[in-house]
Amino acid sequence: MPESRANAFADPDRHVMEKAYARWAPLYDMVCGPIFESGRRAAAAAARQVGGRILEVGVGTGLSFADYDRSTRVVGIDMSAPMVAKAQERLATGEFPHVESVMVMDAADLAFGEGAFDCVVAQFVITLVADPERVLDECARVVRPGGEIILVNHLYSEKGLSAAIERLLARPSRKLGLRPEFPFARLAAWAQRHGAVALVERRPIKPLGVYTLVRFRRLPDTQARAAA
Ligand SMILES: C[S@@+](CC[C@H](N)C(=O)[O-])C[C@H]1O[C@@H](n2cnc3c(N)ncnc32)[C@H](O)[C@@H]1O
């Protein structure tokens, strides 16, 4: 979308999202689980390639726990207490020893030190946060140099009928905790401004290509200083 049209819609209100996900929590796995499966799995597969300690931002009910393995250590955070309660129930089954912990936390204010993770993953989250650039800054802060930030989302279609429908749905879908009109350009612009991350991949997810996987790499410190 031309930037001006993309910005015609304000970023989501945190309280609206909190309310939406409190309502979704009991139904989320049944309704949204299958819809988001291809994207969620692709992002987890990319994160497994990086390996090590992984932070999952906006972990929701923990549907992705099964997509990691024992070669990784996963920490999940989400701002929605009802969604986190579901993730904690899943963790309590004992089936996911690679998951260290799941906690309530705002992605815009991560309580982790600089470079604490090898990889940060956010599946179907960045378009829904109240301040996407601030959340991306936080992700870049807690990932180590050489580590990755991996996002997967439906992004704005930019042109044609799909784009028109997405613009039409932009306002009414907010209350449902959805956002169809978030443009890729905003992610690319953030990376450019940040200076210590590089865009390494932008790929539509099969079979339908409605989701896009985006990978950023945190530059080694020397490269980031040279680019500044
Ligand atoms: C569409 S769900 C995705 C859940 C999970 N990643 C998945 O793929 O099933 C979006 C999640 O983002 C969370 N979220 C939205 N804004 C957030 C924020 N600022 N900090 C942490 N989590 C947030 C919501 O509470 C919700 O659980």
Side-chain angles (χ1 to χ4, degrees), residues 200-211:
V200 289
E201 189 178 17
R202 173 192 185 184
R203 153 168 66 98
I205 299 299
K206 289 177 184 163
L208 302 175
V210 284
Y211 304 137

Side-chain angles (χ1 to χ4, degrees), residues 58 74 113 119 132 180:
V74 178
C119 184

Side-chain angles (χ1 to χ4, degrees), residues 14 17 21 28 36 40 56-60 63 77-80 83 105-108 123-125 128-130 135:
R14 189 196 146 117
M17 285 296 148
Y21 282 94
Y28 188 86
F36 294 144
R40 202 173 49 241
E56 203 178 293
V57 165
V59 68
L63 275 171
I77 69 107
D78 198 289
M79 72 168 180
S80 166
M83 294 290 272
M105 194 184 291
D106 188 343
Q123 292 126 317
F124 304 103
V125 177
L128 303 178
V129 299
V135 168

Side-chain angles (χ1 to χ4, degrees), residues 11-34:
D11 288 327
D13 180 281
R14 189 196 146 117
H15 300 292
V16 171
M17 285 296 148
E18 260 179 333
K19 267 195 191 161
Y21 282 94
R23 283 195 302 267
W24 270 121
L27 302 169
Y28 188 86
D29 291 2
M30 201 174 63
V31 180
C32 302

